Amino acid sequence: MTVTDLSHVRRPVAEAQGLPNAHYTDPALYAEEREALLFRQWAGLAVAADVPERGDAVPIDFLGMPLLLLRDRAGAVRVFMNTCRHRGMILVSEPRRIEGAIRCPYHSWCYGTDGRLVSTPHVGGPGRNTHDAIRRDELGLIEVPSAVRFGVVWINVSGDAPPFEEAMGDLLDRWAEFDRDWVHGGADSRWDLTVEANWKLAVENYCESYHLPWVHPGLNSYSRLEDHYNIALPGRFSGQGTRVYRQLRGEDGAVFPDFDGISPAWDTAAEYIAVYPNVLLGVHRDHAFAILLIPQGPERTLERVHLFYPTAETDPGLRAKNTEQWRTVFAEDIFVVEGMQRGRHAAGFDGGRFSPEMDAPTHCFHDWAAAGLQAWRAMARAAE
């Protein structure tokens, strides 16, 4: 295993260096972070709107692990390993509606949408569909702990994280006014961006406002750098907020409806938080968004962007205008994220220095990542 010195990362922000280059380029360290940072936390997998109807099933490859996202007959969103308990065959290869049972295409073992093994044809020999050694109640699909909040389906692959409500308690308290059902904007409110960079650089760029004047001149023209403030909760999340959010208006002056019961404090405020490890959330009085960062190797990331609204009754023209606005903003970030990735191949770069005033959110993320890796390495040493 590649081991890097992380002591400089965990110093106070004024003295710290960023993560070493290898954490953005080395396949061995990417594999280590997969286990230590992404599988052991509540990570973002998808959105609940991906399976809107009962029986909807979507296969997802999450960092090389085959998963099945589905909405069961009772209406609950669940995540299972997408493999048959018999010989490990992939169960569902394409998104589809499960009309009856989930049937393995290899030997036809069948599962309910709740994961129960319900049928094992010829398992005891021709014409005998049961056998004493095959206990169906012990051979259901392997379920991955999951939760749905802020429109996102969160999973804890290892099962080691605290319960979701506990792990996300600080965020749920901070955004209690937004802790309700979010309505996905539909086909015109989702899009993907492929970024040739490590997933951590997308987090780092998102959680600070320092770059606004130079990377987002349009946004900075009315939501200036000095109108922003830092958000940083060690070990949990970091980001930024603005005090001058301006609602989007149509040609007739129409705006999106507000979330019910929102307090006046949000009339001109908005917040943008990176929830570790891989979910970027933004909330406003009248809409919200989620960006799921899906690592696809040490130097490539798929960004899945979703826009949400308080109700399903939103004007299509205004919704399209909002989508175009955010498409522009998020696309503006790509060249700097990819530029930082290329910079991580410079042999003399030592992880960089942080502005004590402007980079606190980014340093907070680095400290979390380093702490998670140190804990993982300590566990590995103890097991040896």
Side-chain angles (χ1 to χ4, degrees):
M1 180 178 70
T2 304
V3 178
T4 49
D5 181 9
L6 300 174
S7 59
H8 290 84
V9 179
R10 305 217 60 203
R11 292 178 176 177
V13 62
E15 305 168 15
Q17 295 170 205
L19 290 164
N21 282 353
H23 284 272
Y24 300 88
T25 61
D26 187 336
L29 286 171
Y30 172 78
E32 183 185 24
E33 291 183 352
R34 172 182 180 264
E35 302 293 330
L37 304 182
L38 290 151
F39 283 177
R40 297 187 70 215
Q41 315 295 326
W42 285 99
L45 174 70
V47 293
D50 288 334
V51 284
E53 303 295 334
R54 300 180 187 210
D56 284 350
V58 177
I60 298 177
D61 182 298
F62 185 65
L63 289 87
M65 180 171 291
L67 301 178
L68 182 63
L69 171 71
L70 63 82
R71 191 176 292 271
D72 69 17
R73 298 293 178 211
V77 175
R78 306 176 75 158
V79 179
F80 297 99
M81 296 292 175
N82 189 19
T83 50
C84 181
R85 295 298 301 275
H86 177 215
R87 303 302 303 143
M89 177 67 183
I90 293 295
L91 293 167
V92 180
S93 299
E94 300 291 339
R96 63 185 178 89
R97 178 76 51 80
I98 305 296
E99 299 293 350
I102 303 167
R103 188 185 70 82
C104 177
Y106 193 11
H107 298 97
S108 210
W109 284 28
C110 294
Y111 304 85
T113 58
D114 58 1
R116 291 178 304 111
L117 177 59
V118 296
S119 176
T120 51
H122 308 302
V123 73
R128 297 180 60 191
N129 298 332
T130 61
H131 191 285
D132 290 345
I134 303 300
R135 298 179 176 87
R136 291 182 185 176
D137 59 346
E138 297 176 359
L139 290 172
L141 298 181
I142 299 170
E143 186 161 10
V144 178
S146 64
V148 177
R149 220 52 172 265
F150 303 120
V152 173
V153 180
W154 310 74
I155 59 170
N156 174 220
V157 173
S158 71
D160 294 333
F164 184 85
E165 299 279 346
E166 178 183 336
M168 298 291 177
D170 295 298
L171 180 65
L172 296 175
D173 289 343
R174 185 183 187 96
W175 282 358
E177 293 178 83
F178 295 97
D179 187 14
R180 61 195 69 194
D181 289 338
W182 292 1
V183 178
H184 196 282
D188 63 352
S189 296
R190 64 167 71 218
W191 67 95
D192 291 349
L193 296 169
T194 299
V195 184
E196 301 298 330
N198 186 275
W199 65 277
K200 295 187 299 299
L201 289 174
V203 175
E204 295 167 29
N205 175 74
Y206 178 80
C207 70
E208 50 97 339
S209 60
Y210 194 5
H211 66 285
L212 289 180
W214 305 281
V215 179
H216 303 296
L219 181 60
N220 189 70
S221 67
Y222 60 88
S223 184
R224 303 164 301 166
L225 179 61
E226 54 265 40
D227 297 320
H228 286 73
Y229 54 89
N230 290 341
I231 300 168
L233 183 64
R236 291 288 189 263
F237 56 77
S238 60
Q240 51 167 309
T242 179
R243 301 179 181 88
V244 294
Y245 171 63
R246 185 174 67 185
Q247 281 188 291
L248 187 68
R249 294 185 177 273
E251 294 182 1
D252 59 356
V255 296
F256 294 120
D258 289 345
F259 283 97
D260 287 340
I262 208 76
S263 66
W266 292 99
D267 285 353
T268 56
E271 290 192 343
Y272 310 97
I273 287 179
V275 185
Y276 310 152
N278 71 327
V279 179
L280 314 180
L281 296 175
V283 293
H284 317 77
R285 61 186 290 180
D286 56 0
H287 75 286
F289 64 73
I291 304 175
L292 308 179
L293 304 177
I294 310 300
Q296 298 191 314
E299 302 195 61
R300 174 174 290 188
T301 302
L302 177 64
E303 298 187 0
R304 314 213 89 149
V305 186
H306 299 271
L307 301 183
F308 301 89
Y309 297 93
T311 71
E313 289 73 40
T314 51
D315 178 78
L318 192 58
R319 197 170 61 237
K321 187 176 181 180
N322 195 38
T323 295
E324 185 57 34
Q325 174 178 273
W326 284 116
R327 276 184 179 273
T328 298
V329 171
F330 297 146
E332 287 172 343
D333 287 310
I334 293 177
F335 90 96
V336 292
V337 175
E338 293 185 339
M340 286 191 290
Q341 181 66 34
R342 292 195 298 274
R344 292 314 187 270
H345 288 274
F349 185 69
D350 62 0
R353 298 300 191 275
F354 296 107
S355 161
E357 299 298 327
M358 304 304 298
D359 285 324
T362 304
H363 174 257
C364 187
F365 173 64
H366 278 235
D367 183 70
W368 167 84
L373 286 163
Q374 288 177 332
W376 175 258
R377 290 169 178 176
M379 288 175 53
R381 288 193 300 270
E384 290 176 352

